Amino acid sequence: MLLAVSLGLLAAFLFAASASLQQHGAQVANDSLAPPPQTGGRLRSALAPLPALARRLVRSRIWLAGWVINLLGFLTQGAALHFGSVALVQPLLVTQLLFALPLATAWSRRRPSRLAWSSALAITGGVAVFLAVRGAAPVEGDPNREHIILAGISAVALVALLVLASTGRRPLVQATLLAVAAGLCFAMSAVLMKLTAADLVDRGVAATAGDWVGYALAVSTLTGLLLGQWAFATGSLAAAVAAMTITNPIASYLVGVLAFHVTPPTSPGALAAVAGAGALISAGVFGLSHSSIVRPASDPKPAATRAPDPITQDG
């Protein structure tokens, strides 16, 4: 358990460092873009600058360095999931918000507000309660592929319903619904990543390439990234970040308990610890996502062209 926790925290740090570098590189590239023409539909106009921005990003050394660190974060997350359960590792990834706080302070040279510090303390306290109370964090268990397939089908249905429900809604509601859908995709990616890591270690590269799990992982991750960017381009960045960051660990915890042969918490103390930790982490995520220190400065350009925020990366 200690190794899985250590690797999970290291992955969270790498994700935060990656996002910080990519945000800085994207801001520089974005500042040099001409304002996009306001033609076509709202979403089409918002997404119009993305090709030019993408071409600039791949030529940015600092952005590419962030991409490499992000890749290391995914590999570290995979190792953590190999040694620990999904229900244990995924909630730890919200600590990337804590690592993002000093990194954002360094870039912006702004002091964190009381809201930022209190939110960071709430997240820290929630993670501490989750890890400290015996039975709250389920230990390793063997996967039940039938349950995982059922969870995947359920996730696909929920994501489709959320996307349909977001159509025609106010920007704030639409961004929140799309972010929840993205969080569900990332939760399933964690489950599939664990299976893929087990395949690589136990069966080798050839067997992994012939298994459906790796391809499902690619689809789930790509879908989550697209839905996340759509949410950021549509409405409130803070609402989208909060919804996505809260949905991911909660869904991961539930799937990790139901789809793997682990012993779920049953004692009143463990159940209270899970509920209390979830409340503290959710409150901290919500508060920190609304703190100015970890959000980009106001930008008159469309949201789709804004740099990714340090707290938007999610593995």
Side-chain angles (χ1 to χ4, degrees):
M1 178 176 174
L2 179 59
L3 180 58
V5 170
S6 300
L7 289 171
L9 293 175
L10 176 59
F13 170 76
L14 291 173
F15 285 138
S18 165
S20 179
L21 291 173
Q22 287 182 315
Q23 181 199 29
H24 187 70
Q27 282 180 333
V28 174
N30 186 50
D31 289 343
S32 61
L33 288 177
Q38 300 299 317
T39 59
R42 177 176 180 175
L43 180 60
R44 184 177 179 181
S45 297
L47 298 179
L50 288 182
L53 178 61
R55 288 193 295 269
R56 293 177 183 272
L57 290 178
V58 296
R59 293 195 295 266
S60 169
R61 292 184 179 180
I62 190 169
W63 189 90
L64 290 174
W67 183 85
V68 172
I69 294 175
N70 189 61
L71 178 60
L72 292 176
F74 274 107
L75 294 175
T76 306
Q77 181 189 6
L81 289 168
H82 178 68
F83 291 108
S85 67
V86 175
L88 168 66
V89 173
Q90 285 303 102
L92 295 176
L93 295 185
V94 299
T95 58
Q96 65 183 285
L97 295 168
L98 303 180
F99 297 122
L101 183 60
L103 292 173
T105 303
W107 284 119
S108 64
R109 297 181 181 179
R110 290 179 294 171
R111 296 182 60 183
S113 63
R114 290 183 179 179
L115 174 62
W117 283 120
S118 59
S119 300
L121 288 174
I123 294 173
T124 304
V127 172
V129 169
F130 181 72
L131 295 176
V133 176
R134 185 178 182 86
V139 295
E140 180 59 65
D142 296 327
N144 185 324
R145 290 212 170 197
E146 292 181 357
H147 288 181
I148 292 174
I149 292 174
L150 181 60
I153 294 173
S154 301
V156 170
L158 283 174
V159 168
L161 287 174
L162 287 167
V163 172
L164 288 175
S166 70
T167 305
R169 301 283 185 174
R170 293 183 295 108
L172 177 61
V173 176
Q174 185 176 23
T176 301
L177 293 175
L178 291 173
V180 171
L184 290 173
C185 290
F186 288 131
M188 286 306 305
S189 293
V191 174
L192 297 170
M193 186 184 298
K194 182 173 179 63
L195 295 183
T196 303
D199 275 350
L200 285 172
V201 173
D202 300 333
R203 302 171 59 195
V205 176
T208 303
D211 198 351
W212 60 268
V213 174
Y215 304 101
L217 171 61
V219 171
S220 178
T221 303
L222 179 59
T223 303
L225 290 172
L226 292 175
L227 288 173
Q229 290 303 313
W230 190 3
F232 299 150
T234 301
S236 168
L237 175 66
V241 168
M244 191 185 308
T245 309
I246 292 172
T247 301
N248 186 353
I250 291 177
S252 296
Y253 185 88
L254 294 175
V255 175
V257 170
L258 298 175
F260 291 81
H261 294 293
V262 298
T263 303
T266 55
S267 67
L271 291 174
V274 171
L280 283 172
I281 291 173
S282 298
V285 169
F286 182 82
L288 199 55
S289 66
H290 285 74
S291 173
S292 60
I293 193 65
V294 291
R295 293 171 58 191
S298 58
D299 191 337
K301 296 180 181 180
T305 67
R306 292 177 187 165
D309 193 272
I311 59 177
T312 62
Q313 298 290 331
D314 220 329

